Amino acid sequence: MVTFEGLPGAVAVSQLTVYDWPAAADGLRGGTPHLHLTCSEGYVVIGGTGSVQTLTTTGFRQTPLAPGALVWFTPGTIHRLVNDGGLRIVVLMQNSGLPEAGDAVLTLPPDLLTDPETYSAAAALPPDGTEAERERAARARRDLAVAGFLALREAAEAGDPEPLAAFHRAAAALVRPRTEEWRTRWEQGAALAAAATADQLDALGRGEGDHLAGARVHERRPVVRGRFGMCGRLDVYQV
């Protein structure tokens, strides 16, 4: 019998306090625009107000966020969180948290998307830096990504789809070296969870319920609190 003991459906969860730093380009407070290439992501708003700005091939959209709101989006959705005051979110992530483990490309200007080394130099935070150094780096990459996002939005609203298409091509090329690593995460997570359900349905179809005797309860606390993320400070769970 296949077993899986991760969170339901092999999702992962983190708690997010959205940055309240004003962006250099437009003064809006909030996070770093980016997209995910293989994962859907969901937001459950638990405090404050704001919005999520999104850009897809269907155009730009701004969705209000307030306590109780549930918003989710599929791979390829460029998203930018805007914090109007005290915005806090529980983030639900497909594929065992892959969105925070590499499946993201920031909307940096095109000259920073040419190869993995150039991109990493602009997007990575100093691993051994002080709190102040890491904050400066997070703010700098956020401002670069906002500038890139606004350029993509302007082109899309002017009826020119090529800049967004070029960004999609660059993002796919950047992550290509990591796809086998991601496949392993999927095989050990969402695929395994689906296989376990199939086994259980087969057993129940035979009138067997032996798997019920293996029930377990799990509990976790955040393993990291206040980590600098793309959109804000993260409380991270290891599941």
Side-chain angles (χ1 to χ4, degrees):
M1 173 74 69
V2 177
T3 60
F4 177 77
E5 297 194 14
L7 279 170
V11 301
V13 62
S14 64
Q15 295 190 60
L16 173 66
T17 300
V18 179
Y19 293 134
D20 62 359
W21 311 324
D26 61 6
L28 295 180
R29 300 174 183 271
T32 306
H34 61 281
L35 59 65
H36 304 295
L37 291 98
T38 64
C39 295
S40 292
E41 188 172 70
Y43 296 152
V44 181
V45 181
I46 58 173
T49 59
S51 62
V52 56
Q53 297 183 342
T54 55
L55 182 64
T56 68
T57 57
T58 63
F60 173 80
R61 176 177 172 179
Q62 183 154 303
T63 303
L65 300 177
L70 171 62
V71 179
W72 70 94
F73 38 84
T74 57
T77 303
I78 297 174
H79 48 288
R80 176 197 186 187
L81 280 170
V82 176
N83 184 357
D84 292 337
L87 186 58
R88 294 185 298 116
I89 293 171
V90 173
V91 183
L92 307 175
M93 296 162 287
Q94 193 178 7
N95 294 318
S96 307
L98 184 56
E100 287 179 3
D103 179 22
V105 174
L106 312 184
T107 55
L108 302 180
D111 62 316
L112 298 176
L113 302 172
T114 54
D115 59 81
E117 292 74 22
T118 300
Y119 174 80
S120 180
L125 302 184
D128 301 318
T130 65
E131 179 85 356
E133 289 169 340
R134 291 175 65 78
E135 178 175 328
R136 283 195 296 271
R139 293 183 72 150
R141 74 175 183 182
R142 191 280 310 271
D143 284 345
L144 280 172
V146 167
F149 171 75
L150 293 177
L152 293 173
R153 175 183 170 182
E154 181 179 0
E157 291 181 332
D160 181 4
E162 176 52 28
L164 180 57
F167 175 71
H168 288 167
R169 293 192 295 270
L174 285 172
V175 305
R176 182 180 180 185
R178 304 193 64 184
T179 54
E180 286 310 305
E181 169 195 339
W182 296 358
R183 183 179 298 276
T184 298
R185 179 184 286 258
W186 166 74
E187 290 172 343
Q188 296 174 353
L192 185 62
T197 299
D199 268 12
Q200 292 161 6
L201 290 170
D202 289 344
L204 292 171
R206 295 189 299 268
E208 301 168 1
D210 293 350
H211 65 282
L212 302 176
R216 300 288 184 272
V217 176
H218 301 275
E219 184 270 342
R220 295 288 188 275
R221 300 284 179 175
V223 295
V224 178
R225 292 186 183 272
R227 188 182 79 187
F228 286 104
M230 289 177 287
C231 295
R233 302 298 292 264
L234 292 166
D235 292 348
V236 180
Y237 297 83
Q238 181 63 52
V239 294

